[in-house]
Amino acid sequence: MNERKNIFKITGYLLMLVTLTIVTFITPKFLEKEVKAEITSSGYSTTVKYTVEIDGGEFINQITLNGIVDKYFPTPSVSEYEIDLTVREENGTNEIIVDIANGNTYTIDVTWDETAPILNPVTIASSNNITTEAVDGDTITLSITASESIQPPTVTIAGQIATVTGSGDTYAATYDVVNGTTPNGEAKIVIKYSDLAGNEGGDQTTTTDLSTVTISGTGINPDNTPPILDTVTIISDNNNTALAEIGNTITLTIVANEAIQTPTVTIAGQSIIPTGTGTTYTATYTAAKGDPDGVAAINITYADLVGNAGTPVTATKDQSTVTLNIAPTLDTVTIISDNNNTALAEIGNTITLTIIANEDIQTPGVTIAGKAASVTESAGTYTATYTAAKGDPDGVAAINITYADLAGNPGTPVTATKDQSTVTLNIAPELDTVTIISDNNNTALAEIGNTITLTIIANEDIQTPGVTIAGQSVIPTGTGTTYTATYIAAKGDPDGVAAINITYADLAGNQGTPVTATKDQSTVTLNIAPELDTVTIISDNNNTALAEIGNTI
């Protein structure tokens, strides 16, 4: 069963003038001496309600629960009061103290009990001279002793309801054999029992000493016909009754064509103890983490009161089904950077993603900024880390988490944090390619008129870079990651290797480191021949355009 029961037993005593006297819950009296309560969301603890009633005209002065005053009446005038006692398994004994106005004090100890009773011995005998045989008029007696006080059990003998007497841990069940009613053959027994707190012991169908009684001469043939389940139907308390998620209760209803023993039932692979009697039983199961997704499997094994086993049933009779949808979810997803600004990451900063699921999960698959993260686990909390590196895309670091519970049920992939936290990547761009060439026959040489071409390729999309070649500003052409800058060598350019300078930024405005050299060591050397700006000729003849012997030109 997936639902653990919290059982409490109560014993009481009266403290009066320092004399210990056992009381019988008459004054004060409680609704129940032993109380059963179901598990609560807080774990193995529960709050049980009791009503204290004071007889004989007396009033309550004070009630103390586990050492803490729960209620004090300055002027005692109340003879009835309801209290809530929270009992926890790990606390051991829990205590209720009721102070009465007349000076008496009643102490009630409440302790944890979840142990089912055991029947031993269980014996059967007939009133016949031969105690192992019975005929018309003989009385068959089943003697029952339990390991603790139990509620009066329900007993059948030879498929017939027996008369039960007794109390505490000792009971007797009797049945008188009747011609025409009692079937011949071995008198099969079924004992249904539970302790005073409600712990069920299951059906007892055999004696502990293997004693038996055989019935004969009644004119009724033994019942050898196996029972049949006429009705088997399943439903969930989800709004969609054919669907069950964690916390939904699945109810399997079973109706046989004759009275049967308590059937053995599993739902979704979990053993369930049904409730019911006679022909009708109900088995309930609360869907829990770890259950396999898909149609909830059922299995019912059963037998009638004389032990004839029916054919096991693994499907409903009306084709009803309940599909389990037990996907895990992530309760906590948060992200942070070790940058001084924890919402920002630059190259070298570590980004940490913290993941907590609503149940145990397998190690999740995590990517941060599109890269596989390193994932570790401690006490159910997963931590995924990634170190920002060049080439990461600027902007909010994308996350993706894939995960499944231990049963393999996958959860819905998560691509955003639960607390709206983000880390923005601020990654400066880099130039992967910078190369230069001339259209001279010697591509590493440029003379006046030769075109020098500078090719630029970045590791991400960048804005149009600023470029100078040989000290001259050039407007590149291109887009995205690739640009080309050209310059025509002209007079006045300095001889030697043509200097370059490239400034650039990505689309988010992150500035890259200025580049002043190519990436492949390519260069273009300027070889600019000098030119004569002025060449004139003149004669010192009166006619300066004429020279005779002796004239200087």
Side-chain angles (χ1 to χ4, degrees):
M1 293 179 64
N2 73 315
E3 198 168 290
R4 187 176 182 184
K5 292 180 178 177
N6 301 336
I7 312 300
F8 310 95
K9 288 187 174 180
I10 303 173
T11 58
Y13 52 89
L14 166 65
L15 288 178
M16 185 174 182
L17 301 177
V18 198
T19 300
L20 181 63
T21 305
I22 302 298
V23 298
T24 59
F25 295 90
I26 297 174
T27 304
K29 62 184 179 181
F30 284 71
L31 295 180
E32 294 179 292
K33 295 181 182 180
E34 302 192 2
V35 179
K36 179 174 74 173
E38 298 300 324
I39 189 170
T40 66
S41 60
S42 61
Y44 295 139
S45 68
T46 193
T47 297
V48 186
K49 289 186 178 295
Y50 300 105
T51 298
V52 179
E53 295 179 354
I54 308 300
D55 293 337
E58 294 294 339
F59 301 109
I60 300 171
N61 181 43
Q62 178 175 288
I63 293 179
T64 304
L65 305 180
N66 291 330
I68 299 174
V69 175
D70 179 71
K71 184 66 176 178
Y72 173 69
F73 298 93
T75 304
S77 61
V78 174
S79 60
E80 180 176 321
Y81 181 69
E82 185 177 75
I83 60 176
D84 293 336
L85 176 67
T86 298
V87 183
R88 296 186 182 278
E89 181 178 25
E90 63 271 18
N91 287 351
T93 298
N94 296 257
E95 188 176 62
I96 306 171
I97 298 176
V98 182
D99 292 321
I100 309 303
N102 64 9
N104 292 339
T105 297
Y106 296 88
T107 298
I108 309 300
D109 289 333
V110 182
T111 56
W112 188 277
D113 174 26
E114 56 180 347
T115 303
I118 297 171
L119 302 186
N120 191 9
V122 175
T123 63
I124 194 169
S126 167
S127 62
N128 193 291
N129 290 331
I130 303 174
T131 59
T132 58
E133 297 181 4
V135 296
D136 180 48
D138 288 336
T139 298
I140 301 173
T141 300
L142 188 64
S143 299
I144 303 166
T145 301
S147 58
E148 61 177 294
S149 293
I150 61 173
Q151 301 176 42
T154 299
V155 180
T156 61
I157 299 174
Q160 309 300 309
I161 296 174
T163 300
V164 176
T165 59
S167 63
D169 60 2
T170 305
Y171 288 85
T174 58
Y175 172 70
D176 295 332
V177 176
V178 178
N179 278 343
T181 299
T182 309
N184 290 324
E186 182 182 338
K188 300 290 187 178
I189 65 168
V190 179
I191 309 170
K192 296 178 182 291
Y193 63 103
S194 60
D195 64 18
L196 300 183
N199 289 308
E200 296 174 350
D203 289 0
Q204 180 100 5
T205 58
T206 61
T207 59
T208 57
D209 64 351
L210 304 182
S211 57
T212 61
V213 170
T214 300
I215 301 168
S216 62
T218 64
I220 301 297
N221 292 326
D223 177 8
N224 296 317
T225 303
I228 297 171
L229 301 187
D230 291 332
T231 299
V232 177
T233 185
I234 196 168
I235 196 170
S236 166
D237 65 357
N238 191 291
N239 289 335
N240 178 353
T241 58
L243 178 71
E245 299 172 325
I246 291 176
N248 285 143
T249 297
I250 302 171
T251 299
L252 186 67
T253 300
I254 302 164
V255 181
N257 68 335
E258 63 174 297
I260 58 174
Q261 302 172 38
T262 301
T264 299
V265 177
T266 65
I267 300 176
Q270 304 298 317
S271 294
I272 309 298
I273 297 177
T275 60
T277 187
T279 61
T280 305
Y281 290 83
T282 300
T284 60
Y285 173 69
T286 301
K289 62 186 180 182
D291 287 338
D293 276 336
V295 173
I298 64 170
N299 187 278
I300 309 169
T301 57
Y302 56 102
D304 63 20
L305 299 184
V306 295
N308 296 311
T311 302
V313 170
T314 57
T316 60
K317 297 293 183 175
D318 62 352
Q319 287 73 54
S320 58
T321 59
V322 169
T323 299
L324 289 160
N325 183 13
I326 312 295
T329 59
L330 301 185
D331 291 335
T332 298
V333 178
T334 185
I335 196 168
I336 197 171
S337 166
D338 65 357
N339 192 290
N340 289 334
N341 178 353
T342 58
L344 179 70
E346 298 172 329
I347 291 177
N349 285 142
T350 297
I351 302 170
T352 300
L353 190 65
T354 300
I355 302 164
I356 302 175
N358 69 332
E359 61 174 295
D360 290 342
I361 59 173
Q362 303 173 38
T363 301
V366 180
T367 63
I368 300 175
K371 306 292 178 60
S374 174
V375 181
T376 59
E377 183 269 342
S378 176
T381 297
Y382 288 87
T383 302
T385 57
Y386 173 71
T387 302
K390 65 181 182 182
D392 288 338
D394 278 331
V396 173
I399 65 170
N400 187 277
I401 308 169
T402 56
Y403 56 101
D405 63 21
L406 300 185
N409 301 313
T412 302
V414 170
T415 57
T417 60
K418 297 293 183 175
D419 62 351
Q420 288 73 55
S421 58
T422 60
V423 169
T424 298
L425 289 159
N426 184 9
I427 308 298
E430 294 185 354
L431 302 184
D432 292 333
T433 298
V434 178
T435 185
I436 196 168
I437 196 171
S438 167
D439 65 356
N440 191 290
N441 289 334
N442 178 355
T443 57
L445 180 69
E447 297 174 329
I448 293 175
N450 284 144
T451 297
I452 301 171
T453 300
L454 187 65
T455 300
I456 303 164
I457 302 176
N459 67 339
E460 62 175 293
D461 289 349
I462 57 174
Q463 303 173 39
T464 301
V467 177
T468 65
I469 301 176
Q472 304 299 314
S473 293
V474 178
I475 299 176
T477 59
T479 187
T481 61
T482 305
Y483 290 84
T484 301
T486 58
Y487 174 68
I488 298 175
K491 64 181 181 181
D493 288 338
D495 277 339
V497 173
I500 64 170
N501 187 277
I502 309 169
T503 58
Y504 56 102
D506 62 22
L507 301 185
N510 300 310
Q511 296 288 332
T513 302
V515 171
T516 58
T518 60
K519 297 291 184 175
D520 62 351
Q521 287 75 52
S522 58
T523 60
V524 169
T525 299
L526 288 161
N527 184 11
I528 306 300
E531 293 184 355
L532 300 180
D533 292 332
T534 301
V535 179
T536 61
I537 190 168
I538 193 172
S539 167
D540 61 358
N541 192 291
N542 289 335
N543 179 353
T544 57
L546 178 67
E548 296 176 334
I549 295 173
N551 285 136
T552 299
I553 300 172

